[in-house]
Amino acid sequence: MKYENNKVTDITIAYIGGGSRGWAWTFMTDLSMDSSISGTIRLYDIDEAAAKSNEIIGNKLTEREDTVGKWNYVTSGSLEEALTGCDFAVISILPGTFDEMDSDVHLPERLGIYQSVGDTAGPGGAIRALRTIPMFVTIGEAIKKYAPKAWVINYTNPMSLCVKTLYHVFPEIRAFGCCHEVFGTQKVLKGICEESLGLEHADRSDIHVNVLGINHFTWFDQASYKGIDLFPVYRDYVNSHYEEGYNEPDKNWANSTFECAHRLKFDLFRRYGLIAAAGDRHLAEFMPGDEYLKDPETVKSWKFGLTTVKWRKEDLQKRLEKSRKLVSGEIEMEQKPSGEEGILLIKSLCGLERTVSNVNIPNTFLQIPNLPAETIVETNAVFSKDSIKPVAAGAIPENVLELILPHTKNHELILKAALTCDRNLVYEVFLNDPLVKGRASKEEVIKLADDMIDATLSYLPEGWK
């Protein structure tokens, strides 16, 4: 890397999952709009044709006159080629296909177990982890061999287990996980501030929060805006809008598979006293299965939706068509900020900024003192030149800790299960999961686990067969 005039050039980024039609495009667009960093993006994907398409799309974006962030995109044929000598490695992969995710999400429905996402917690999250962990073992070993000093940014779910696997394989790795769920809750607080306090155009970055928890089950125990304690403001808003929820002006939960009215957040605040800091679809999966996800009608009453894999498959076809048009030049990539902070964090690690943001890393410094050091926690951290220093978040209140502990225990069990191909550990994970507990007999749960493992065998190591 070269530093001159508050800019850094010749940065090399390895993008693992470089054929992505989602996160990769977001990453490219954000890079194209920032003139302070530039360099080379090496795109690696097991679907090399998809990576090649993104190479063309990325270079077309660079060639545009309105693009100020100039990057050269190249396709790499192997992890060694992508990683050797890189400064940063970004991991954004889909473990398997949507056919495997179909069984992750929908097979448990035969026992009345519903999942609103199916990629982090619940039976779906566990089986997705069995596919993902071996892939991350391979990636972690490659990073250790070819790029041991690189900063590694993970966007793949299940986030906690992906990061946990990287550190298991290579304890000295410099890896962290990025998630935008906290930003979404800050945006809700910004809107409530504007509505309740008569403000105009409040900046999300001025909503200062203390973050503590695990990915997709994260909480705020402090929130303020320019000296104003937002907890009383939030409490008054929740009490006044509990039934209808928060209506974001540019979104409608009833017309989108990803949106919500934040009623579940409101309910958790009333019950536990903290602001839950993820989307309702994710939060619901960490809670007992007879509550928010009891059945589709219950889900609808809380004003969020079940994201079906059928919808994901249809959306993929649209993305493939968009990719074709971007490659051919029929359409251009829209240069619109994503709201993600990945580029800002890269700039901070290069020394151009100093940023406080939420991050998923091991609890090594006991930033949450009542969780074990090996737990992957989500808290704030200070990003600066070649440094990530976690912020001491403080202890999680006991009532919320009781909700989190079954999941941190399952993270330990599913990592061991994936590494040893042990079905008995998977059974234990299923039986311990709050979505499953009390919803079916032990025999039914074990049969479900076996069927879900068998449905994804082609993506699992030989030891599972």
Side-chain angles (χ1 to χ4, degrees):
M1 295 189 291
K2 297 177 182 177
Y3 292 79
E4 189 176 2
N5 298 325
N6 295 319
K7 294 185 177 183
V8 183
T9 59
D10 287 349
I11 300 170
T12 301
I13 301 176
Y15 198 116
I16 301 168
S20 156
R21 291 106 181 172
W23 283 112
W25 292 351
T26 297
F27 193 70
M28 289 174 175
T29 304
D30 284 347
L31 285 173
S32 77
M33 300 175 68
D34 194 309
S35 63
S36 65
I37 53 176
S38 59
T40 299
I41 312 286
R42 299 174 183 163
L43 302 167
Y44 169 74
D45 203 294
I46 57 173
D47 182 350
E48 191 167 336
K52 191 68 179 177
S53 291
N54 277 353
E55 175 188 320
I56 295 168
I57 292 167
N59 287 327
K60 281 181 180 290
L61 187 57
T62 291
E63 291 163 6
R64 283 166 46 179
E65 289 185 6
D66 61 344
T67 294
V68 296
K70 301 297 186 180
W71 292 82
N72 178 40
Y73 291 85
V74 297
T75 300
S76 294
S78 66
L79 281 172
E80 177 181 0
E81 186 180 338
L83 288 167
T84 301
C86 73
D87 303 298
F88 295 90
V90 174
I91 311 174
S92 170
I93 66 172
L94 175 66
T97 71
F98 286 142
D99 287 336
E100 284 72 38
M101 194 173 187
D102 197 293
S103 62
D104 292 350
V105 174
H106 298 301
L107 274 184
E109 291 172 1
R110 76 189 193 198
L111 299 181
I113 298 166
Y114 292 90
Q115 300 168 104
S116 37
V117 187
D119 70 358
T120 298
I127 300 301
R128 182 184 176 100
L130 293 184
R131 292 195 300 275
T132 311
I133 288 168
M135 298 177 188
F136 269 68
V137 168
T138 299
I139 293 168
E141 288 172 342
I143 290 167
K144 181 178 182 179
K145 185 174 183 180
Y146 304 117
K149 298 298 184 183
W151 285 104
V152 181
I153 309 171
N154 178 60
Y155 285 104
T156 307
N157 287 328
M159 172 67 72
S160 298
L161 275 161
C162 290
V163 176
K164 193 174 186 67
T165 303
L166 291 174
Y167 277 91
H168 177 83
V169 172
F170 180 22
E172 294 79 25
I173 199 169
R174 305 202 297 180
F176 60 98
C178 284
C179 181
H180 59 205
E181 296 288 320
V182 163
F183 308 152
T185 304
Q186 283 177 300
K187 187 178 177 183
V188 171
L189 289 176
K190 159 185 145 65
I192 290 174
C193 265
E194 290 172 339
E195 186 177 333
S196 301
L197 304 176
L199 303 174
E200 289 187 9
H201 309 301
D203 193 322
R204 176 184 71 80
S205 63
D206 289 328
I207 307 291
H208 294 166
V209 294
N210 187 52
V211 180
L212 69 172
I214 59 175
N215 184 244
H216 292 155
F217 204 41
T218 316
W219 303 75
F220 300 158
D221 64 353
Q222 297 172 12
S224 64
Y225 173 77
K226 296 189 174 181
I228 301 169
D229 183 358
L230 294 184
F231 266 65
V233 176
Y234 190 74
R235 182 177 296 108
D236 289 346
Y237 192 92
V238 167
N239 289 337
S240 300
H241 298 79
Y242 181 76
E243 293 301 328
E244 69 268 29
Y246 173 69
N247 181 31
E248 295 183 73
D250 56 341
K251 297 177 180 178
N252 186 327
W253 75 271
N255 296 331
S256 171
T257 191
F258 287 110
E259 307 304 339
C260 65
H262 306 284
R263 284 202 69 222
L264 195 154
K265 273 190 198 63
F266 288 4
D267 192 56
L268 290 175
F269 181 76
R270 280 187 165 185
R271 295 172 63 184
Y272 297 99
L274 300 188
I275 299 174
D280 285 7
R281 295 162 52 255
H282 280 299
L283 293 168
E285 293 188 329
F286 288 83
M287 298 297 292
D290 59 356
E291 294 187 7
Y292 306 112
L293 286 168
K294 183 177 180 180
D295 52 49
E297 285 305 308
T298 299
V299 172
K300 191 174 180 180
S301 74
W302 286 103
K303 295 189 175 182
F304 69 99
L306 301 171
T307 305
T308 67
V309 178
K310 179 176 181 289
W311 181 92
R312 292 183 186 273
K313 289 181 176 181
E314 292 169 352
D315 182 65
L316 175 60
Q317 294 308 309
K318 294 175 184 176
R319 289 178 182 272
L320 289 171
E321 178 61 12
K322 182 178 179 181
S323 177
R324 185 192 67 76
K325 289 181 177 179
L326 287 167
V327 168
S328 69
E330 292 177 54
I331 60 173
E332 287 188 336
M333 190 79 78
E334 183 183 8
Q335 288 192 326
K336 180 181 177 182
S338 70
E340 302 289 337
E341 291 191 353
I343 307 308
L344 180 60
L345 301 184
I346 288 174
K347 289 169 61 176
S348 297
L349 291 168
C350 288
L352 297 178
E353 305 274 354
R354 184 176 182 275
T355 303
V356 177
S357 187
N358 58 297
V359 65
N360 292 271
I361 54 177
N363 195 34
T364 307
F365 296 96
L366 295 181
Q367 49 267 42
I368 299 179
N370 53 346
L371 283 177
E374 64 271 15
T375 305
I376 303 299
V377 297
E378 187 160 3
T379 68
N380 284 330
V382 179
F383 289 74
S384 57
K385 169 66 175 170
D386 218 28
S387 169
I388 301 175
K389 290 187 168 57
V391 171
I396 298 172
E398 286 299 318
N399 59 348
V400 175
L401 184 66
E402 289 177 8
L403 302 175
I404 291 175
L405 287 176
H407 300 286
T408 59
K409 178 182 177 182
N410 271 358
H411 291 166
E412 298 294 331
L413 291 172
I414 204 69
L415 176 63
K416 187 175 180 181
L419 296 174
T420 60
C421 304
D422 188 335
R423 286 185 183 241
N424 288 318
L425 290 176
V426 180
Y427 304 154
E428 189 175 345
V429 167
F430 272 47
L431 291 165
N432 187 50
D433 192 281
L435 275 187
V436 177
K437 205 172 237 183
R439 304 282 286 166
S441 69
K442 181 177 179 180
E443 292 72 23
E444 289 174 318
V445 172
I446 289 174
K447 179 67 165 61
L448 173 65
D450 281 333
D451 289 350
M452 291 180 72
I453 292 169
D454 292 345
T456 198
L457 274 179
S458 61
Y459 281 89
L460 298 182
E462 284 296 320
W464 289 102
K465 298 177 176 68

